[in-house]
Amino acid sequence: MATVDDALRVFSPQLPLAVAYSGGADSTALLLACTEKWPGQVRAVHVHHGLQAAADDFARHCEAVCAHLQVPLRVSRVMAGHAPGDSPEDAARKARYEAFRALALEERAQPAIKSIALAQHADDQVETMLLALSRGAGLPGLSAMPASWQRDGLMYYRPLLQVPGPAIRAWLAQRGAVFIEDPTNTDERFTRNRIRARLLPALAETFPQFRETFARSAQHAAQAQSLLVEVAREDLAALGRPPVIRSLQGLSLARQANALRHWLREDHQATPSAAQLGQLLSQVAACTTRGHQIHLKIASGHVTRAGDCLHFAA
């Protein structure tokens, strides 16, 4: 697999660039590599979630490292508490993206940040795929993490996605770089940590090339998902948005499911469970008379029938 140097050789974001810097090994390697390649064009942003006692120590460490590197640092303090029914990970992720967006919009950040680099690596990608498999995820989940994408007018990159975690630490050791260890990373109450501590060593022993093969599988899944999105958009152009029920019934069951899933996700930010989607498909099939009503719970809202069409209301 790739090394840190290999990854940075082909990484060409639009500058200036912000690096999401936690102070841990992976983001430390990314920050060092980026500042070496683009001196004076890199900023760091540390998101202070306030979720553990050591959070202030993490921020102070990041301030000291950035002062030594002469890299501008912004510490963004966020409220990462989660609502009932939401996962703490999702809440923290949303808070981080809001912090990144605020950094790019901040007047003092002129010239404006155009790219954000995140430090997830090959082991993180494998962990994400295994978590998706454990949840019975479809192609979006099995596609794992994209190497780049756009959000809120910013380009996001994961340049280390082909680099194994041990290779990153070896790169840091060669430079004598200092970083912090987040104590929660070894807490096996968290599923991802159990995967890291137990499954990855077993995979390495049984399938030494597992990082490369998992990465190929994720790429195949992402390509297939991209094709399904194309098909869904073509179908919805004919079905209408909201979709006309009779037109939906003219599609195969698989294309109905694909179109409905895409309509709900893209137009309403709602992701139905497999059971909810199955119920909706059954109701669409049974909708053969004008009097047939539909009122199904989907994600945080409801799909209903209004005349000839399906509608979604949060």
Side-chain angles (χ1 to χ4, degrees):
M1 293 201 78
T3 65
V4 173
D5 292 328
D6 293 334
L8 264 291
R9 196 172 296 119
V10 297
F11 180 37
S12 56
Q14 193 173 5
L15 300 174
L17 168 73
V19 173
Y21 178 45
S22 70
D26 311 324
S27 64
T28 297
L30 182 59
L31 180 63
L32 291 176
C34 288
T35 54
E36 287 175 9
K37 185 171 182 178
W38 298 292
Q41 292 291 313
V42 177
R43 300 189 67 189
V45 55
H46 176 79
V47 181
H48 187 306
H49 296 98
L51 296 176
Q52 53 179 301
D56 288 338
D57 292 335
F58 296 166
R60 282 190 286 270
H61 169 85
C62 293
E63 289 168 348
V65 170
C66 287
H68 176 72
L69 294 174
Q70 296 184 320
V71 171
L73 169 70
R74 170 172 173 161
V75 176
S76 295
R77 296 177 180 268
V78 300
M79 298 297 292
H82 61 287
D86 292 339
S87 74
E89 294 83 1
D90 284 343
R93 187 180 303 111
K94 290 175 183 175
R96 285 195 296 274
Y97 280 119
E98 182 57 32
F100 299 148
R101 189 180 71 85
L103 172 70
L105 295 175
E106 188 181 48
E107 289 184 0
R108 288 185 289 112
Q110 298 299 323
I113 294 297
K114 297 178 175 64
S115 309
I116 306 281
L118 308 177
Q120 284 96 352
H121 51 71
D123 292 27
D124 296 319
Q125 185 77 310
V126 171
E127 293 163 13
T128 300
M129 287 190 70
L130 290 171
L131 283 168
L133 283 167
S134 74
R135 295 166 181 159
L139 287 175
L142 298 180
S143 301
M145 296 182 289
S148 62
W149 72 102
Q150 191 172 35
R151 177 172 178 157
D152 296 328
L154 287 167
M155 280 302 300
Y156 285 83
Y157 298 91
R158 293 187 175 103
L160 303 181
L161 213 51
Q162 300 295 321
V163 185
I168 292 174
R169 288 179 178 256
W171 188 89
L172 288 168
Q174 290 173 356
R175 285 158 176 74
V178 295
F179 55 87
I180 53 178
E181 295 281 5
D182 186 336
T184 64
N185 287 341
T186 57
D187 186 346
E188 293 194 17
R189 289 177 297 176
F190 299 105
T191 305
R192 187 178 285 272
N193 291 345
R194 292 198 299 277
I195 291 173
R196 187 177 305 136
R198 304 181 193 182
L199 286 186
L200 295 195
L203 283 170
E205 183 177 352
T206 309
F207 306 108
Q209 305 302 315
F210 77 96
R211 292 180 179 88
E212 291 94 332
T213 56
F214 273 57
R216 284 202 300 274
S217 291
Q219 289 166 2
H220 293 326
Q223 187 176 48
Q225 175 60 22
S226 178
L227 182 60
L228 287 179
V229 169
E230 285 185 28
V231 172
R233 286 176 177 164
E234 290 178 1
D235 285 342
L236 285 168
L239 296 171
R241 300 172 91 138
V244 176
I245 295 169
R246 185 174 295 278
S247 299
L248 258 177
Q249 292 169 335
L251 298 178
S252 68
L253 201 61
R255 285 180 73 162
Q256 287 182 43
N258 186 49
L260 287 171
R261 191 183 295 111
H262 186 81
W263 167 62
L264 288 166
R265 183 174 59 244
E266 188 167 90
D267 291 14
H268 303 290
Q269 296 75 54
T271 301
S273 67
Q276 289 172 341
L277 187 59
Q279 290 176 334
L280 180 55
L281 290 169
S282 295
Q283 287 298 309
V284 168
C287 202
T288 57
T289 65
R290 288 187 176 275
H292 186 90
Q293 297 300 310
I294 297 176
H295 191 273
L296 286 175
K297 171 75 171 170
I298 300 287
S300 59
H302 291 84
V303 169
T304 59
R305 178 183 182 179
D308 294 332
C309 299
L310 295 177
H311 286 268
F312 180 86

